[in-house]
Amino acid sequence: MADSQPLPSWNDGAAKSAILDLVARVTKEGGADFAPPAERIATFDNDGTLSCEQPLQTQFYFAFGRVKELAAKDPALAERQPFKAVLEHDYNTLFGLGLQALYELAFATHAGITDEEFIEIASAWLATAKHPKIGRLFKQCVYRPQIELLAYLRDNGFKTYIVSAGGADFMRAFADEVYGVPREQVIGSSVKLRYDAGGDRVSLSKLSELNIFNDGQAKPLSIGMHIGRRPLLAFGNSDGDLPMMRYTKSGSGARLALLLHHDDAEREAAYDREFRLSPLSEALDKAQDYGFTVVSMKRDWKVVF
Amino acid sequence: MADSQPLPSWNDGAAKSAILDLVARVTKEGGADFAPPAERIATFDNDGTLSCEQPLQTQFYFAFGRVKELAAKDPALAERQPFKAVLEHDYNTLFGLGLQALYELAFATHAGITDEEFIEIASAWLATAKHPKIGRLFKQCVYRPQIELLAYLRDNGFKTYIVSAGGADFMRAFADEVYGVPREQVIGSSVKLRYDAGGDRVSLSKLSELNIFNDGQAKPLSIGMHIGRRPLLAFGNSDGDLPMMRYTKSGSGARLALLLHHDDAEREAAYDREFRLSPLSEALDKAQDYGFTVVSMKRDWKVVF
């Protein structure tokens, strides 16, 4: 399993060392921190941790396209908030809604279709949709050092999970192809589903009502429900990841909680507490108290994309 | 992957043939029904499908022991229903409560402890607790033909899941050891959890409030939430499994929905619609309409335990 040159896109330094050290400890049979493969769980936030979330998380571009379609059929919609703000790219109004309300809007635009239809629609969109600033496919606006880290962990017997505030079904449309994470290892926000057995084919229809908004404390709670084990490693980039990271780091034995700091305006973006949709503040201020390892995009990553 | 003599505890017949046929079809590369490994999901009910549920599902014996402990500390409890019925082994009263209420009672007896503590307590109980009629460990009151089937499916690239009305954390205490199913592939009923960050160690505490009662339509809905894929094979034994079986069977391509019929009073038990906690009625009556394959314990299984 050992790779003589793991994580080639990571610069040598404290962050890379901490990762290599954790993996060495938990895989060393007979060692004090050895963890059998069943216990090797790693959880990653998605937006801002595995992929670019600036100026907006990917799913909103997808949902906003859907708002345009709906407004074309129903012009009255274009005059109502928050649809008006979407159509006018009025980010100030949209950011004022907050992350949960914005996701609820996004989810509502796809109510009524089945989960299987939704994944097809999202997959088709993702096949051609490009990031407005980076100019490449959204699917390619993911961080190369993180793709290497996910693969390195799996090579060492870890199961890698995504635990994100983003919609689970949206992420399931690309997580396997892009991250090597199968659908069932994607935990995200979700709407309630309805069991429809009226026709010949039994299906699950997406409703507009929120089931779980998977951010903040909801992340460790959903890890408890879906996985039933405390992770050995968690990786986040905002205060929405703080409870998952504390839950992970405070377990017994060797554990690692990594916090990506976007401090690289040249290669990607430099932001933390001022990003209203998903600020990084307490997790950064208390990183030392909580034992988090801060990853500087500028210092620790040789390449970004 | 192919085993020259798969499923040795299954008698030759329609049920065994249907299983072998499904696996042959979905694993034949280039075949019309080929399913890539990512799509090979199989879901099994637990109580009555993988393990004996007569006269009661295993988790109730565990919870009833806890009721005794609580009543010893608080004698007034022994005079109140439903605790009185538990202490007096008054099954008639208990069955009248119904499956959900009985599980809610079971869950409430372990409120306040963390999910990690619960799994330790349940594991310790399971290490020595014996079935009152069968006389062996509860962990050994599982069906050998099903253990073979789970392993056979995994040998052919399937991910095997448990999707049960039983408590997820209780099943997680034995599913890996007994069924080879890791904790994260156990989907069950659950209580709400609370994120506790008060002390040095962040933990998840079990509350008494029900989160999901995973029976009936909740089964396909939880498959949608946890897995995000329609299974290729589902196995149940009661009307509580009917929606999961219909959902599975009505997908495109080769699919199999199997229904275990307990018709073997000599080797285990003979029951269906009269078992008040979890009756088998509609699923049996409409098996042909829905395309279910009925498995007769008496006819199709060479051995039971």
Side-chain angles (χ1 to χ4, degrees), chain B residues 74-124:
Chain B
D74 174 11
L77 204 73
E79 297 307 314
R80 271 170 38 212
Q81 289 296 13
F83 306 102
K84 190 166 184 284
V86 168
L87 295 166
E88 293 173 351
H89 304 278
D90 172 7
Y91 286 176
N92 199 42
T93 297
L94 292 174
F95 282 20
L97 295 172
L99 191 65
Q100 177 166 340
L102 212 52
Y103 269 120
E104 289 193 59
L105 165 67
F107 299 154
T109 62
H110 287 90
I113 62 176
T114 70
D115 58 343
E116 291 166 334
E117 290 165 342
F118 176 84
I119 288 184
E120 278 181 33
I121 293 168
S123 299

Side-chain angles (χ1 to χ4, degrees), chain A residues 248-267:
Chain A
T248 298
K249 185 61 187 168
S250 76
S252 56
R255 313 259 170 179
L256 189 57
L258 296 148
L259 179 70
L260 180 61
H261 190 204
H262 294 261
D263 55 3
D264 195 335
E266 203 174 314
R267 296 189 298 177

Side-chain angles (χ1 to χ4, degrees), chain B:
Chain B
M1 295 297 195
D3 186 336
S4 56
Q5 294 287 340
L7 308 179
S9 301
W10 287 72
N11 287 318
D12 290 336
K16 183 173 180 174
S17 294
I19 294 167
L20 298 177
D21 182 62
L22 176 86
V23 171
R25 282 166 181 261
V26 302
T27 57
K28 187 180 162 61
E29 290 207 41
D33 292 318
F34 176 73
E39 294 178 14
R40 295 182 203 160
I41 300 291
T43 56
F44 287 74
D45 169 57
N46 178 45
D47 299 284
T49 297
L50 296 178
S51 70
C52 179
E53 65 174 353
Q54 290 294 343
L56 272 175
Q57 287 89 352
T58 305
Q59 188 164 2
F60 297 129
Y61 293 101
F62 170 64
F64 292 176
R66 177 78 171 173
V67 168
K68 271 187 211 158
E69 285 172 30
L70 296 173
K73 288 179 200 160
D74 174 11
L77 204 73
E79 297 307 314
R80 271 170 38 212
Q81 289 296 13
F83 306 102
K84 190 166 184 284
V86 168
L87 295 166
E88 293 173 351
H89 304 278
D90 172 7
Y91 286 176
N92 199 42
T93 297
L94 292 174
F95 282 20
L97 295 172
L99 191 65
Q100 177 166 340
L102 212 52
Y103 269 120
E104 289 193 59
L105 165 67
F107 299 154
T109 62
H110 287 90
I113 62 176
T114 70
D115 58 343
E116 291 166 334
E117 290 165 342
F118 176 84
I119 288 184
E120 278 181 33
I121 293 168
S123 299
W125 183 83
L126 285 159
T128 60
K130 287 189 176 171
H131 191 287
K133 297 210 167 169
I134 302 175
R136 58 166 89 188
L137 292 178
F138 281 105
K139 287 196 287 190
Q140 295 166 339
C141 296
V142 297
Y143 306 133
R144 195 196 296 178
Q146 301 291 58
I147 305 296
E148 290 172 4
L149 176 56
L150 288 163
Y152 173 65
L153 291 169
R154 289 193 293 265
D155 284 346
N156 284 280
F158 279 77
K159 260 193 179 177
T160 52
Y161 278 80
I162 293 172
V163 179
S164 165
D169 287 339
F170 184 74
M171 295 184 288
R172 284 169 175 165
F174 64 89
D176 204 350
E177 175 190 345
V178 173
Y179 302 134
V181 175
R183 289 190 196 175
E184 61 272 20
Q185 285 160 227
V186 173
I187 302 171
S189 296
S190 57
V191 291
K192 289 193 189 299
L193 297 170
R194 186 182 62 220
Y195 174 80
D196 285 328
D200 279 352
R201 185 179 170 91
V202 173
S203 287
L204 311 179
S205 294
K206 293 171 87 76
L207 305 179
S208 57
E209 190 188 347
L210 195 67
N211 178 40
I212 290 175
F213 181 62
N214 196 45
D215 201 27
Q217 293 188 8
K219 289 194 176 197
L221 299 179
S222 66
I223 290 170
M225 180 166 71
H226 286 251
I227 307 176
R229 283 189 193 277
R230 195 186 287 259
L232 298 185
L233 180 151
F235 211 137
N237 81 305
S238 77
D239 287 354
D241 300 312
L242 181 59
M244 170 171 82
M245 294 171 63
R246 290 191 65 193
Y247 173 61
T248 297
K249 185 63 187 167
S250 76
S252 57
R255 312 260 169 178
L256 190 57
L258 295 148
L259 180 70
L260 180 62
H261 190 203
H262 293 262
D263 56 1
D264 195 333
E266 203 173 314
R267 296 188 298 176
E268 196 235 18
Y271 65 96
D272 44 51
R273 57 198 84 226
E274 76 285 2
F275 182 40
R276 291 161 68 194
L277 279 185
S278 186
L280 168 60
S281 171
E282 184 187 346
L284 191 61
D285 295 340
K286 297 204 175 161
Q288 199 159 13
D289 294 352
Y290 294 147
F292 298 163
T293 299
V294 178
V295 175
S296 153
M297 183 177 274
K298 191 170 183 171
R299 184 190 63 216
D300 290 312
W301 286 1
K302 219 165 272 174
V303 293
V304 175
F305 296 112

Side-chain angles (χ1 to χ4, degrees), chain A residues 61-87:
Chain A
Y61 294 101
F62 171 64
F64 292 175
R66 178 77 171 174
V67 169
K68 272 187 210 158
E69 285 173 29
L70 296 173
K73 288 180 200 158
D74 174 11
L77 204 70
E79 299 307 315
R80 268 169 41 211
Q81 289 294 17
F83 306 102
K84 190 165 183 286
V86 168
L87 295 166

Side-chain angles (χ1 to χ4, degrees), chain A residues 159 172 184 202 225 230, chain B residues 159 172 184 202 225:
Chain A
K159 260 195 177 175
R172 284 170 175 164
E184 61 272 21
V202 173
M225 181 166 69
R230 195 186 288 257
Chain B
K159 260 193 179 177
R172 284 169 175 165
E184 61 272 20
V202 173
M225 180 166 71

